[in-house]
Amino acid sequence: MVALPGDAGVIADAPGLRSLPLVGHERGLARAFPEIVEASRACRFGDCTHTHEPGCAVREAEDAGQIDSLRLETFQNLASSMRVSAQMLDPDVHL
Ligand SMILES: [Zn+2]
């Protein structure tokens, strides 16, 4: 068991535990990447993944140098993992 800083909780290992699903951390993701969340308000589609949709304001901001490409890639990887985890836990959930 590993204690996380502050009141963030603990990480506990258990037999059979292979991964930690990233579910329910949307607010944390938004706080860690505020520039992406701000830019996404101007995306054409409300469910934009910022990967391929036309009218994506996040990718436009990246192209303009306003959003760091590595940070956007990290955001997209985390968001994708969260969508996969949510669908594994509840196939009826579509994020
Ligand atoms: Zn977008």
Side-chain angles (χ1 to χ4, degrees):
M1 187 177 313
V2 177
L4 299 174
D7 60 353
V10 298
I11 296 176
D13 191 10
L17 183 64
R18 291 176 175 237
S19 66
L20 295 172
L22 290 173
V23 176
H25 298 286
E26 291 80 5
R27 284 188 181 174
L29 187 65
R31 279 195 297 216
F33 299 92
E35 76 279 26
I36 296 173
V37 173
E38 178 64 29
S40 72
R41 293 188 175 114
C43 289
R44 180 192 281 179
F45 303 106
D47 60 348
C48 187
T49 63
H50 320 304
T51 56
H52 63 279
E53 296 87 348
C56 176
V58 171
R59 287 199 335 270
E60 289 174 6
E62 178 194 21
D63 291 343
Q66 298 166 344
I67 290 179
D68 180 79
S69 295
L70 182 56
R71 281 181 56 78
L72 178 56
E73 182 179 339
T74 301
F75 175 90
Q76 289 168 328
N77 287 338
L78 289 169
S80 175
S81 294
M82 291 170 76
R83 282 192 291 273
V84 170
S85 293
Q87 288 178 339
M88 285 175 50
L89 293 174
D90 187 346
D92 293 332
V93 172
H94 298 282
L95 301 177

